[in-house]
Amino acid sequence: MALSLLFLVTILSMMITPSISDTNSFIFGGCSRLKSSPGSNYETSVNSILSSLVNSATFTTYSNFTVPGTTASETVYGIFQCRGDINNDQCSSCVQRAVSQLGTLCFETYGGALQLEGCFVKYDNVKFIGVEDKTEVVKKCGPSIGLTSDARDDVLAYLESSDGVYKTFRTTSSGDFSGAAQCTGDLSSSECQDCVSDAIQRLRSECGGSPWGDIYLAKCYARYSEGGLHSRRGNDDENHNDDEIEKTLAILIGLIAAVALIIVFLSFLSKLCEKQRGAK
Ligand SMILES: *[C@@H]1O[C@H](CO)[C@@H](O)[C@H](O)[C@H]1NC(C)=O
């Protein structure tokens, strides 16, 4: 009984940890320069927006909130967008984490944005909801190895293809390559299509010779990678401390479980020996 339980724990920790660290991995974060004063109405509004976002992430993958201020510049706008292929629990835990990291990173600032692997959260006093924005926020390309690949080109072409219903999330694979593209839910289909096309053109021109690339614009992203989107993280070592901690934890839990298993097994053996000796 104890044995199978321990075994289960080991296997579970192996299974759960990768997906958790995947959706919670840090991609980027940034804050406005303008600082709000401690205890101000604005700060109260920001906190109320952030908790609304966290609450609504338990049942939906996108939402927007506005808290009006006494003047227009004191109005706070906020949105979150979860990756299209994660479930409510993952979305909710991702947004919770993003909001808590924003609280630290953008302490008392007028605006902030943070992207984790599984979700995006942004708040500001400038009305950005429903406004297309193709500012490049992050560009990461794999090593430039002069790659030419039909499979990669197929992935990008599919992600970019216009079918009139483009909305928020699309993923595909071809051969060894997979890719994903996503917009925030406040864009219309045509704005989303336009934003994703822009990101993909940048992937082609800037990461063209690489086995993987990520382009994050302010309201959308496009990514592709050889061998699965989450399997090539050995190539970039920025901002993966959380991952490392989680990996270390998983290994530790595995080790403890293994040691416990051995102890249980040994005590079982010694009891068996005693019994046999007693039987003689
Ligand atoms: C913002 O949220 C409101 C209320 O949930 C919704 O009706 C509206 O469509 C949203 N606007 C955008 C641009 O997503």
Side-chain angles (χ1 to χ4, degrees):
M1 185 57 209
L3 260 172
S4 52
L5 206 75
L6 273 172
F7 210 67
L8 198 72
V9 168
T10 319
I11 293 187
L12 275 180
S13 71
M14 281 183 205
M15 273 167 37
I16 291 170
T17 312
S19 70
I20 289 175
S21 59
D22 267 351
T23 48
N24 286 346
S25 302
F26 180 88
I27 311 267
F28 68 80
C31 317
S32 68
R33 275 199 210 121
L34 196 60
K35 286 266 183 188
S36 67
S37 34
S40 63
N41 290 339
Y42 190 82
E43 201 183 65
T44 310
S45 303
V46 167
N47 290 335
S48 129
I49 287 265
L50 293 179
S51 61
S52 302
L53 294 176
V54 168
N55 287 337
S56 105
T58 57
F59 56 85
T60 180
T61 55
Y62 158 77
S63 111
N64 75 76
F65 288 93
T66 303
V67 174
T70 43
T71 63
S73 68
E74 296 287 298
T75 297
V76 191
Y77 305 90
I79 64 166
F80 79 88
Q81 174 68 59
C82 281
R83 203 170 71 195
D85 58 350
I86 66 175
N87 63 34
N88 276 351
D89 286 349
Q90 289 171 310
C91 176
S92 146
S93 105
C94 186
V95 170
Q96 216 166 341
R97 188 167 172 130
V99 162
S100 112
Q101 291 184 355
L102 266 176
T104 316
L105 186 72
C106 302
F107 183 62
E108 286 172 357
T109 62
Y110 260 71
L114 195 118
Q115 174 87 54
L116 301 181
E117 185 75 37
C119 65
F120 172 73
V121 174
K122 177 173 177 168
Y123 69 92
D124 206 350
N125 71 330
V126 177
K127 190 175 184 309
F128 64 92
I129 298 167
V131 178
E132 196 182 349
D133 183 351
K134 296 189 277 185
T135 312
E136 188 172 289
V137 184
V138 169
K139 180 187 82 175
K140 283 186 189 168
C141 304
S144 188
I145 54 166
L147 178 97
T148 53
S149 158
D150 288 343
R152 190 270 314 275
D153 295 347
D154 287 348
V155 163
L156 293 186
Y158 176 81
L159 292 178
E160 193 181 16
S161 61
S162 168
D163 51 14
V165 292
Y166 211 130
K167 197 81 173 123
T168 69
F169 186 71
R170 182 176 280 187
T171 182
T172 187
S173 59
S174 167
D176 287 343
F177 283 86
S178 38
Q182 172 134 37
C183 303
T184 52
D186 58 324
L187 297 188
S188 69
S189 299
S190 60
E191 288 168 333
C192 178
Q193 176 70 48
D194 182 58
C195 189
V196 167
S197 291
D198 192 302
I200 287 171
Q201 274 159 34
R202 292 179 205 222
L203 277 177
R204 287 201 186 98
S205 62
E206 296 173 41
C207 302
S210 307
W212 61 266
D214 297 347
I215 299 276
Y216 285 84
L217 307 182
K219 285 290 180 81
C220 73
Y221 64 75
R223 318 166 63 185
Y224 74 90
S225 180
E226 192 171 13
L229 280 178
H230 310 299
S231 61
R232 44 87 172 148
R233 286 294 168 180
N235 288 331
D236 64 59
D237 49 9
E238 316 158 56
N239 305 319
H240 283 78
N241 294 335
D242 289 351
D243 269 16
E244 289 310 312
I245 291 167
E246 269 154 17
K247 265 183 216 144
T248 314
L249 255 176
I251 291 169
L252 256 176
I253 291 171
L255 269 179
I256 291 169
V259 168
L261 260 173
I262 291 170
I263 291 172
V264 170
F265 184 65
L266 284 181
S267 69
F268 174 75
L269 263 187
S270 74
K271 266 189 200 135
L272 206 74
C273 288
E274 268 169 38
K275 258 191 205 158
Q276 277 183 339
R277 233 178 268 143
K280 264 182 204 167

